[in-house]
Amino acid sequence: MRVRVCVCPPVPVPPSTVRRGAVCNPDRGETEEEMLRADLLENQLMEMRLGFARLCYNPDFELLKPAYLEQLPAKLQELSRFLGARPWFVGDKLTYVDFLAYDVLEQQRMFAPTCLEGPGNLRAFMRRFEALEKVAAYLRSGRCLKTPVFWRTARWGSAKE
């Protein structure tokens, strides 16, 4: 007999520990298609996150930033197409990849504040996520720290605001 122990906090898991959230709430979807969507999106978002981190830690950050900003709309358009008309990325239910998506999109919005002006469904997703009762309470609380995003050696996102 397998016993699963969950040590999740009673508040939303900070986006930087999404994996822990996935362990505590293993809901990756109910159907094979939903589970596939969750896996695909997780990999795509991690690729975006790592690419962004590589940019922010790069000593040539200022030289590389324009090229990153130039390709960002295409990446966001891919996510927009993947979300489609669904309320959440996997389907009708909130899953762990929605937490990951929110975190990645919020970092992009902090970096390039107008980047989500184009894809309306991504803006709606962000509003829907931020309106979740526990998420909204966390965002309003003093426990919510949006910065620093990265460690102090990063060229962007390392300062506490």
Side-chain angles (χ1 to χ4, degrees):
M1 179 174 170
R2 294 176 69 188
V3 177
R4 187 176 64 110
V5 177
C6 183
V7 293
C8 289
V11 297
V13 176
S16 61
T17 58
V18 169
R19 265 299 187 200
R20 181 172 167 217
V23 170
C24 296
N25 180 8
D27 189 10
R28 298 178 350 182
E30 296 173 354
T31 67
E32 186 70 29
E33 179 185 348
E34 289 175 346
M35 288 186 269
L36 178 62
R37 288 182 64 78
D39 289 343
L40 288 170
L41 181 63
E42 179 183 13
N43 288 320
Q44 182 66 32
L45 290 168
M46 291 310 294
E47 184 178 308
M48 279 185 76
R49 178 188 301 282
L50 291 173
F52 186 53
R54 277 191 299 274
L55 168 71
C56 292
Y57 281 99
N58 196 306
D60 294 325
F61 170 78
E62 290 300 333
L63 293 172
L64 300 171
K65 182 179 174 182
Y68 183 86
L69 290 171
E70 187 176 315
Q71 58 81 38
L72 183 58
K75 288 190 180 213
L76 294 175
Q77 189 59 41
E78 288 175 16
L79 288 177
S80 177
R81 280 196 308 269
F82 192 83
L83 177 60
R86 294 173 194 82
W88 306 109
F89 276 96
V90 170
D92 293 329
K93 289 177 141 184
L94 182 71
T95 63
Y96 79 98
V97 291
D98 294 305
F99 284 82
L100 181 59
Y102 176 82
D103 188 43
V104 169
L105 291 170
E106 177 61 13
Q107 286 180 3
Q108 299 308 303
R109 184 167 61 178
M110 290 168 64
F111 183 66
T114 61
C115 72
L116 294 180
E117 287 182 1
N121 62 344
L122 292 181
R123 282 194 321 275
F125 164 81
M126 297 293 280
R127 282 192 302 270
R128 214 173 7 262
F129 189 89
E130 291 167 347
L132 292 170
E133 182 181 348
K134 289 184 179 183
V135 172
Y138 174 73
L139 292 174
R140 286 189 310 268
S141 77
R143 295 184 319 262
C144 178
L145 302 174
K146 291 196 177 247
T147 59
V149 175
F150 296 116
W151 186 242
R152 67 182 115 179
T153 57
R155 305 291 192 232
W156 178 89
S158 60
K160 185 175 180 179
E161 297 175 8

PDB file of all heavy atoms in Angstrom, residues 98-128:
ATOM      1  N   ASP A  98      -0.925  25.493 -14.928  1.00  0.00           N
ATOM      2  CA  ASP A  98      -1.456  26.859 -14.920  1.00  0.00           C
ATOM      3  C   ASP A  98      -0.656  27.733 -13.955  1.00  0.00           C
ATOM      4  O   ASP A  98      -0.422  28.912 -14.229  1.00  0.00           O
ATOM      5  CB  ASP A  98      -2.945  26.863 -14.556  1.00  0.00           C
ATOM      6  CG  ASP A  98      -3.787  26.184 -15.616  1.00  0.00           C
ATOM      7  OD1 ASP A  98      -3.697  26.598 -16.792  1.00  0.00           O
ATOM      8  OD2 ASP A  98      -4.500  25.227 -15.274  1.00  0.00           O
ATOM      9  N   PHE A  99      -0.193  27.155 -12.842  1.00  0.00           N
ATOM     10  CA  PHE A  99       0.659  27.891 -11.914  1.00  0.00           C
ATOM     11  C   PHE A  99       1.987  28.220 -12.585  1.00  0.00           C
ATOM     12  O   PHE A  99       2.500  29.333 -12.475  1.00  0.00           O
ATOM     13  CB  PHE A  99       0.906  27.073 -10.634  1.00  0.00           C
ATOM     14  CG  PHE A  99      -0.270  27.058  -9.715  1.00  0.00           C
ATOM     15  CD1 PHE A  99      -1.315  26.176  -9.915  1.00  0.00           C
ATOM     16  CD2 PHE A  99      -0.338  27.929  -8.641  1.00  0.00           C
ATOM     17  CE1 PHE A  99      -2.418  26.161  -9.069  1.00  0.00           C
ATOM     18  CE2 PHE A  99      -1.426  27.925  -7.780  1.00  0.00           C
ATOM     19  CZ  PHE A  99      -2.474  27.036  -8.001  1.00  0.00           C
ATOM     20  N   LEU A 100       2.534  27.250 -13.282  1.00  0.00           N
ATOM     21  CA  LEU A 100       3.790  27.457 -13.992  1.00  0.00           C
ATOM     22  C   LEU A 100       3.616  28.509 -15.086  1.00  0.00           C
ATOM     23  O   LEU A 100       4.447  29.406 -15.233  1.00  0.00           O
ATOM     24  CB  LEU A 100       4.272  26.129 -14.590  1.00  0.00           C
ATOM     25  CG  LEU A 100       5.582  26.133 -15.344  1.00  0.00           C
ATOM     26  CD1 LEU A 100       6.718  26.608 -14.473  1.00  0.00           C
ATOM     27  CD2 LEU A 100       5.872  24.730 -15.863  1.00  0.00           C
ATOM     28  N   ALA A 101       2.519  28.407 -15.847  1.00  0.00           N
ATOM     29  CA  ALA A 101       2.252  29.373 -16.925  1.00  0.00           C
ATOM     30  C   ALA A 101       2.112  30.781 -16.355  1.00  0.00           C
ATOM     31  O   ALA A 101       2.656  31.740 -16.906  1.00  0.00           O
ATOM     32  CB  ALA A 101       0.988  28.979 -17.693  1.00  0.00           C
ATOM     33  N   TYR A 102       1.392  30.898 -15.250  1.00  0.00           N
ATOM     34  CA  TYR A 102       1.235  32.219 -14.647  1.00  0.00           C
ATOM     35  C   TYR A 102       2.596  32.804 -14.268  1.00  0.00           C
ATOM     36  O   TYR A 102       2.874  33.970 -14.533  1.00  0.00           O
ATOM     37  CB  TYR A 102       0.322  32.163 -13.416  1.00  0.00           C
ATOM     38  CG  TYR A 102       0.232  33.512 -12.741  1.00  0.00           C
ATOM     39  CD1 TYR A 102      -0.638  34.479 -13.227  1.00  0.00           C
ATOM     40  CD2 TYR A 102       1.051  33.839 -11.667  1.00  0.00           C
ATOM     41  CE1 TYR A 102      -0.695  35.743 -12.647  1.00  0.00           C
ATOM     42  CE2 TYR A 102       0.996  35.091 -11.082  1.00  0.00           C
ATOM     43  CZ  TYR A 102       0.120  36.034 -11.570  1.00  0.00           C
ATOM     44  OH  TYR A 102       0.077  37.284 -10.998  1.00  0.00           O
ATOM     45  N   ASP A 103       3.437  32.001 -13.655  1.00  0.00           N
ATOM     46  CA  ASP A 103       4.743  32.480 -13.223  1.00  0.00           C
ATOM     47  C   ASP A 103       5.587  32.942 -14.406  1.00  0.00           C
ATOM     48  O   ASP A 103       6.175  34.024 -14.376  1.00  0.00           O
ATOM     49  CB  ASP A 103       5.464  31.375 -12.449  1.00  0.00           C
ATOM     50  CG  ASP A 103       6.737  31.858 -11.800  1.00  0.00           C
ATOM     51  OD1 ASP A 103       6.738  32.963 -11.216  1.00  0.00           O
ATOM     52  OD2 ASP A 103       7.748  31.140 -11.870  1.00  0.00           O
ATOM     53  N   VAL A 104       5.634  32.140 -15.448  1.00  0.00           N
ATOM     54  CA  VAL A 104       6.423  32.503 -16.631  1.00  0.00           C
ATOM     55  C   VAL A 104       5.853  33.763 -17.281  1.00  0.00           C
ATOM     56  O   VAL A 104       6.603  34.683 -17.632  1.00  0.00           O
ATOM     57  CB  VAL A 104       6.477  31.326 -17.638  1.00  0.00           C
ATOM     58  CG1 VAL A 104       7.045  31.762 -18.976  1.00  0.00           C
ATOM     59  CG2 VAL A 104       7.294  30.177 -17.056  1.00  0.00           C
ATOM     60  N   LEU A 105       4.544  33.832 -17.424  1.00  0.00           N
ATOM     61  CA  LEU A 105       3.928  35.006 -18.047  1.00  0.00           C
ATOM     62  C   LEU A 105       4.096  36.256 -17.184  1.00  0.00           C
ATOM     63  O   LEU A 105       4.309  37.356 -17.704  1.00  0.00           O
ATOM     64  CB  LEU A 105       2.449  34.747 -18.340  1.00  0.00           C
ATOM     65  CG  LEU A 105       2.178  33.724 -19.443  1.00  0.00           C
ATOM     66  CD1 LEU A 105       0.698  33.371 -19.490  1.00  0.00           C
ATOM     67  CD2 LEU A 105       2.660  34.235 -20.793  1.00  0.00           C
ATOM     68  N   GLU A 106       4.023  36.098 -15.880  1.00  0.00           N
ATOM     69  CA  GLU A 106       4.204  37.253 -14.988  1.00  0.00           C
ATOM     70  C   GLU A 106       5.631  37.786 -15.087  1.00  0.00           C
ATOM     71  O   GLU A 106       5.841  38.997 -15.111  1.00  0.00           O
ATOM     72  CB  GLU A 106       3.872  36.872 -13.540  1.00  0.00           C
ATOM     73  CG  GLU A 106       4.089  37.985 -12.543  1.00  0.00           C
ATOM     74  CD  GLU A 106       3.240  39.231 -12.776  1.00  0.00           C
ATOM     75  OE1 GLU A 106       2.285  39.201 -13.568  1.00  0.00           O
ATOM     76  OE2 GLU A 106       3.551  40.266 -12.160  1.00  0.00           O
ATOM     77  N   GLN A 107       6.605  36.897 -15.179  1.00  0.00           N
ATOM     78  CA  GLN A 107       7.982  37.356 -15.342  1.00  0.00           C
ATOM     79  C   GLN A 107       8.156  38.096 -16.663  1.00  0.00           C
ATOM     80  O   GLN A 107       8.834  39.128 -16.712  1.00  0.00           O
ATOM     81  CB  GLN A 107       8.954  36.182 -15.277  1.00  0.00           C
ATOM     82  CG  GLN A 107       9.143  35.648 -13.893  1.00  0.00           C
ATOM     83  CD  GLN A 107      10.116  34.485 -13.847  1.00  0.00           C
ATOM     84  OE1 GLN A 107      10.709  34.104 -14.853  1.00  0.00           O
ATOM     85  NE2 GLN A 107      10.281  33.915 -12.672  1.00  0.00           N
ATOM     86  N   GLN A 108       7.527  37.599 -17.714  1.00  0.00           N
ATOM     87  CA  GLN A 108       7.618  38.282 -19.008  1.00  0.00           C
ATOM     88  C   GLN A 108       6.948  39.648 -18.934  1.00  0.00           C
ATOM     89  O   GLN A 108       7.440  40.626 -19.482  1.00  0.00           O
ATOM     90  CB  GLN A 108       6.991  37.433 -20.120  1.00  0.00           C
ATOM     91  CG  GLN A 108       7.661  36.093 -20.334  1.00  0.00           C
ATOM     92  CD  GLN A 108       9.153  36.198 -20.515  1.00  0.00           C
ATOM     93  OE1 GLN A 108       9.643  36.886 -21.405  1.00  0.00           O
ATOM     94  NE2 GLN A 108       9.901  35.514 -19.663  1.00  0.00           N
ATOM     95  N   ARG A 109       5.817  39.711 -18.233  1.00  0.00           N
ATOM     96  CA  ARG A 109       5.095  40.982 -18.083  1.00  0.00           C
ATOM     97  C   ARG A 109       5.908  41.972 -17.250  1.00  0.00           C
ATOM     98  O   ARG A 109       5.889  43.169 -17.525  1.00  0.00           O
ATOM     99  CB  ARG A 109       3.731  40.714 -17.443  1.00  0.00           C
ATOM    100  CG  ARG A 109       2.853  41.926 -17.327  1.00  0.00           C
ATOM    101  CD  ARG A 109       1.433  41.601 -16.997  1.00  0.00           C
ATOM    102  NE  ARG A 109       1.281  40.915 -15.728  1.00  0.00           N
ATOM    103  CZ  ARG A 109       0.106  40.569 -15.224  1.00  0.00           C
ATOM    104  NH1 ARG A 109      -1.017  40.838 -15.879  1.00  0.00           N
ATOM    105  NH2 ARG A 109       0.028  39.947 -14.070  1.00  0.00           N
ATOM    106  N   MET A 110       6.625  41.485 -16.261  1.00  0.00           N
ATOM    107  CA  MET A 110       7.492  42.368 -15.474  1.00  0.00           C
ATOM    108  C   MET A 110       8.649  42.882 -16.330  1.00  0.00           C
ATOM    109  O   MET A 110       9.048  44.034 -16.214  1.00  0.00           O
ATOM    110  CB  MET A 110       8.048  41.616 -14.255  1.00  0.00           C
ATOM    111  CG  MET A 110       7.010  41.311 -13.200  1.00  0.00           C
ATOM    112  SD  MET A 110       7.610  40.147 -11.951  1.00  0.00           S
ATOM    113  CE  MET A 110       8.918  41.092 -11.201  1.00  0.00           C
ATOM    114  N   PHE A 111       9.175  42.024 -17.191  1.00  0.00           N
ATOM    115  CA  PHE A 111      10.316  42.370 -18.033  1.00  0.00           C
ATOM    116  C   PHE A 111       9.906  43.305 -19.168  1.00  0.00           C
ATOM    117  O   PHE A 111      10.594  44.270 -19.478  1.00  0.00           O
ATOM    118  CB  PHE A 111      10.927  41.082 -18.592  1.00  0.00           C
ATOM    119  CG  PHE A 111      12.146  41.278 -19.428  1.00  0.00           C
ATOM    120  CD1 PHE A 111      13.324  41.762 -18.873  1.00  0.00           C
ATOM    121  CD2 PHE A 111      12.139  40.971 -20.775  1.00  0.00           C
ATOM    122  CE1 PHE A 111      14.468  41.929 -19.635  1.00  0.00           C
ATOM    123  CE2 PHE A 111      13.275  41.140 -21.550  1.00  0.00           C
ATOM    124  CZ  PHE A 111      14.437  41.620 -20.985  1.00  0.00           C
ATOM    125  N   ALA A 112       8.788  42.986 -19.810  1.00  0.00           N
ATOM    126  CA  ALA A 112       8.279  43.776 -20.936  1.00  0.00           C
ATOM    127  C   ALA A 112       6.795  44.055 -20.663  1.00  0.00           C
ATOM    128  O   ALA A 112       5.932  43.283 -21.078  1.00  0.00           O
ATOM    129  CB  ALA A 112       8.465  43.010 -22.241  1.00  0.00           C
ATOM    130  N   PRO A 113       6.486  45.118 -19.930  1.00  0.00           N
ATOM    131  CA  PRO A 113       5.127  45.359 -19.444  1.00  0.00           C
ATOM    132  C   PRO A 113       4.022  45.322 -20.503  1.00  0.00           C
ATOM    133  O   PRO A 113       2.881  45.009 -20.183  1.00  0.00           O
ATOM    134  CB  PRO A 113       5.222  46.745 -18.799  1.00  0.00           C
ATOM    135  CG  PRO A 113       6.642  46.848 -18.383  1.00  0.00           C
ATOM    136  CD  PRO A 113       7.427  46.131 -19.445  1.00  0.00           C
ATOM    137  N   THR A 114       4.332  45.620 -21.747  1.00  0.00           N
ATOM    138  CA  THR A 114       3.280  45.622 -22.775  1.00  0.00           C
ATOM    139  C   THR A 114       3.196  44.306 -23.549  1.00  0.00           C
ATOM    140  O   THR A 114       2.404  44.205 -24.473  1.00  0.00           O
ATOM    141  CB  THR A 114       3.528  46.773 -23.771  1.00  0.00           C
ATOM    142  OG1 THR A 114       4.806  46.573 -24.403  1.00  0.00           O
ATOM    143  CG2 THR A 114       3.492  48.123 -23.078  1.00  0.00           C
ATOM    144  N   CYS A 115       3.962  43.307 -23.164  1.00  0.00           N
ATOM    145  CA  CYS A 115       4.035  42.079 -23.969  1.00  0.00           C
ATOM    146  C   CYS A 115       2.721  41.311 -24.033  1.00  0.00           C
ATOM    147  O   CYS A 115       2.482  40.589 -24.996  1.00  0.00           O
ATOM    148  CB  CYS A 115       5.159  41.165 -23.484  1.00  0.00           C
ATOM    149  SG  CYS A 115       4.849  40.363 -21.904  1.00  0.00           S
ATOM    150  N   LEU A 116       1.845  41.472 -23.058  1.00  0.00           N
ATOM    151  CA  LEU A 116       0.574  40.735 -23.077  1.00  0.00           C
ATOM    152  C   LEU A 116      -0.575  41.563 -23.637  1.00  0.00           C
ATOM    153  O   LEU A 116      -1.729  41.148 -23.557  1.00  0.00           O
ATOM    154  CB  LEU A 116       0.228  40.243 -21.667  1.00  0.00           C
ATOM    155  CG  LEU A 116       1.168  39.192 -21.079  1.00  0.00           C
ATOM    156  CD1 LEU A 116       0.713  38.785 -19.693  1.00  0.00           C
ATOM    157  CD2 LEU A 116       1.275  37.981 -21.981  1.00  0.00           C
ATOM    158  N   GLU A 117      -0.271  42.692 -24.221  1.00  0.00           N
ATOM    159  CA  GLU A 117      -1.331  43.522 -24.794  1.00  0.00           C
ATOM    160  C   GLU A 117      -1.947  42.890 -26.035  1.00  0.00           C
ATOM    161  O   GLU A 117      -3.094  43.137 -26.336  1.00  0.00           O
ATOM    162  CB  GLU A 117      -0.801  44.925 -25.106  1.00  0.00           C
ATOM    163  CG  GLU A 117      -0.590  45.746 -23.866  1.00  0.00           C
ATOM    164  CD  GLU A 117      -0.106  47.149 -24.161  1.00  0.00           C
ATOM    165  OE1 GLU A 117       0.059  47.516 -25.344  1.00  0.00           O
ATOM    166  OE2 GLU A 117       0.121  47.887 -23.190  1.00  0.00           O
ATOM    167  N   GLY A 118      -1.194  42.095 -26.758  1.00  0.00           N
ATOM    168  CA  GLY A 118      -1.700  41.460 -27.970  1.00  0.00           C
ATOM    169  C   GLY A 118      -2.639  40.295 -27.701  1.00  0.00           C
ATOM    170  O   GLY A 118      -3.834  40.366 -27.966  1.00  0.00           O
ATOM    171  N   PRO A 119      -2.126  39.197 -27.138  1.00  0.00           N
ATOM    172  CA  PRO A 119      -2.958  38.001 -26.960  1.00  0.00           C
ATOM    173  C   PRO A 119      -4.015  38.185 -25.872  1.00  0.00           C
ATOM    174  O   PRO A 119      -3.710  38.109 -24.688  1.00  0.00           O
ATOM    175  CB  PRO A 119      -1.951  36.912 -26.569  1.00  0.00           C
ATOM    176  CG  PRO A 119      -0.590  37.497 -26.756  1.00  0.00           C
ATOM    177  CD  PRO A 119      -0.746  38.975 -26.762  1.00  0.00           C
ATOM    178  N   GLY A 120      -5.257  38.444 -26.282  1.00  0.00           N
ATOM    179  CA  GLY A 120      -6.336  38.693 -25.324  1.00  0.00           C
ATOM    180  C   GLY A 120      -6.622  37.520 -24.412  1.00  0.00           C
ATOM    181  O   GLY A 120      -6.958  37.703 -23.245  1.00  0.00           O
ATOM    182  N   ASN A 121      -6.487  36.299 -24.940  1.00  0.00           N
ATOM    183  CA  ASN A 121      -6.787  35.152 -24.086  1.00  0.00           C
ATOM    184  C   ASN A 121      -5.726  34.968 -23.003  1.00  0.00           C
ATOM    185  O   ASN A 121      -6.032  34.463 -21.921  1.00  0.00           O
ATOM    186  CB  ASN A 121      -6.986  33.877 -24.894  1.00  0.00           C
ATOM    187  CG  ASN A 121      -5.766  33.452 -25.682  1.00  0.00           C
ATOM    188  OD1 ASN A 121      -4.833  34.219 -25.898  1.00  0.00           O
ATOM    189  ND2 ASN A 121      -5.786  32.212 -26.142  1.00  0.00           N
ATOM    190  N   LEU A 122      -4.489  35.392 -23.248  1.00  0.00           N
ATOM    191  CA  LEU A 122      -3.464  35.307 -22.209  1.00  0.00           C
ATOM    192  C   LEU A 122      -3.730  36.331 -21.105  1.00  0.00           C
ATOM    193  O   LEU A 122      -3.561  36.041 -19.922  1.00  0.00           O
ATOM    194  CB  LEU A 122      -2.059  35.509 -22.787  1.00  0.00           C
ATOM    195  CG  LEU A 122      -1.543  34.396 -23.711  1.00  0.00           C
ATOM    196  CD1 LEU A 122      -0.133  34.711 -24.177  1.00  0.00           C
ATOM    197  CD2 LEU A 122      -1.612  33.036 -23.048  1.00  0.00           C
ATOM    198  N   ARG A 123      -4.176  37.526 -21.483  1.00  0.00           N
ATOM    199  CA  ARG A 123      -4.545  38.526 -20.474  1.00  0.00           C
ATOM    200  C   ARG A 123      -5.719  38.022 -19.642  1.00  0.00           C
ATOM    201  O   ARG A 123      -5.732  38.171 -18.420  1.00  0.00           O
ATOM    202  CB  ARG A 123      -4.917  39.858 -21.143  1.00  0.00           C
ATOM    203  CG  ARG A 123      -3.728  40.662 -21.595  1.00  0.00           C
ATOM    204  CD  ARG A 123      -4.099  42.096 -21.938  1.00  0.00           C
ATOM    205  NE  ARG A 123      -5.362  42.277 -22.621  1.00  0.00           N
ATOM    206  CZ  ARG A 123      -5.553  42.182 -23.943  1.00  0.00           C
ATOM    207  NH1 ARG A 123      -4.531  41.911 -24.724  1.00  0.00           N
ATOM    208  NH2 ARG A 123      -6.735  42.372 -24.473  1.00  0.00           N
ATOM    209  N   ALA A 124      -6.689  37.414 -20.309  1.00  0.00           N
ATOM    210  CA  ALA A 124      -7.857  36.872 -19.597  1.00  0.00           C
ATOM    211  C   ALA A 124      -7.432  35.739 -18.660  1.00  0.00           C
ATOM    212  O   ALA A 124      -7.946  35.629 -17.540  1.00  0.00           O
ATOM    213  CB  ALA A 124      -8.903  36.381 -20.590  1.00  0.00           C
ATOM    214  N   PHE A 125      -6.493  34.908 -19.110  1.00  0.00           N
ATOM    215  CA  PHE A 125      -5.973  33.834 -18.264  1.00  0.00           C
ATOM    216  C   PHE A 125      -5.331  34.429 -17.008  1.00  0.00           C
ATOM    217  O   PHE A 125      -5.569  33.962 -15.898  1.00  0.00           O
ATOM    218  CB  PHE A 125      -4.953  32.987 -19.035  1.00  0.00           C
ATOM    219  CG  PHE A 125      -4.100  32.126 -18.151  1.00  0.00           C
ATOM    220  CD1 PHE A 125      -4.583  30.923 -17.674  1.00  0.00           C
ATOM    221  CD2 PHE A 125      -2.828  32.535 -17.769  1.00  0.00           C
ATOM    222  CE1 PHE A 125      -3.811  30.128 -16.825  1.00  0.00           C
ATOM    223  CE2 PHE A 125      -2.051  31.759 -16.931  1.00  0.00           C
ATOM    224  CZ  PHE A 125      -2.542  30.549 -16.461  1.00  0.00           C
ATOM    225  N   MET A 126      -4.512  35.463 -17.193  1.00  0.00           N
ATOM    226  CA  MET A 126      -3.830  36.089 -16.055  1.00  0.00           C
ATOM    227  C   MET A 126      -4.863  36.661 -15.065  1.00  0.00           C
ATOM    228  O   MET A 126      -4.735  36.476 -13.856  1.00  0.00           O
ATOM    229  CB  MET A 126      -2.881  37.187 -16.533  1.00  0.00           C
ATOM    230  CG  MET A 126      -1.746  36.697 -17.400  1.00  0.00           C
ATOM    231  SD  MET A 126      -0.557  35.672 -16.537  1.00  0.00           S
ATOM    232  CE  MET A 126       0.422  36.928 -15.714  1.00  0.00           C
ATOM    233  N   ARG A 127      -5.875  37.336 -15.575  1.00  0.00           N
ATOM    234  CA  ARG A 127      -6.917  37.894 -14.704  1.00  0.00           C
ATOM    235  C   ARG A 127      -7.672  36.791 -13.963  1.00  0.00           C
ATOM    236  O   ARG A 127      -7.957  36.907 -12.770  1.00  0.00           O
ATOM    237  CB  ARG A 127      -7.896  38.741 -15.513  1.00  0.00           C
ATOM    238  CG  ARG A 127      -7.375  40.111 -15.871  1.00  0.00           C
ATOM    239  CD  ARG A 127      -8.471  41.015 -16.398  1.00  0.00           C
ATOM    240  NE  ARG A 127      -9.136  40.460 -17.565  1.00  0.00           N
ATOM    241  CZ  ARG A 127      -8.759  40.663 -18.824  1.00  0.00           C
ATOM    242  NH1 ARG A 127      -7.705  41.415 -19.092  1.00  0.00           N
ATOM    243  NH2 ARG A 127      -9.431  40.123 -19.818  1.00  0.00           N
ATOM    244  N   ARG A 128      -7.999  35.719 -14.693  1.00  0.00           N
ATOM    245  CA  ARG A 128      -8.720  34.594 -14.094  1.00  0.00           C
ATOM    246  C   ARG A 128      -7.878  33.960 -12.979  1.00  0.00           C
ATOM    247  O   ARG A 128      -8.384  33.665 -11.900  1.00  0.00           O
ATOM    248  CB  ARG A 128      -9.020  33.561 -15.190  1.00  0.00           C
ATOM    249  CG  ARG A 128     -10.277  32.838 -15.055  1.00  0.00           C
ATOM    250  CD  ARG A 128     -10.665  31.940 -16.224  1.00  0.00           C
ATOM    251  NE  ARG A 128      -9.728  31.724 -17.294  1.00  0.00           N
ATOM    252  CZ  ARG A 128      -9.730  32.381 -18.458  1.00  0.00           C
ATOM    253  NH1 ARG A 128     -10.626  33.309 -18.702  1.00  0.00           N
ATOM    254  NH2 ARG A 128      -8.845  32.101 -19.390  1.00  0.00           N
TER     255      ARG A 128
END
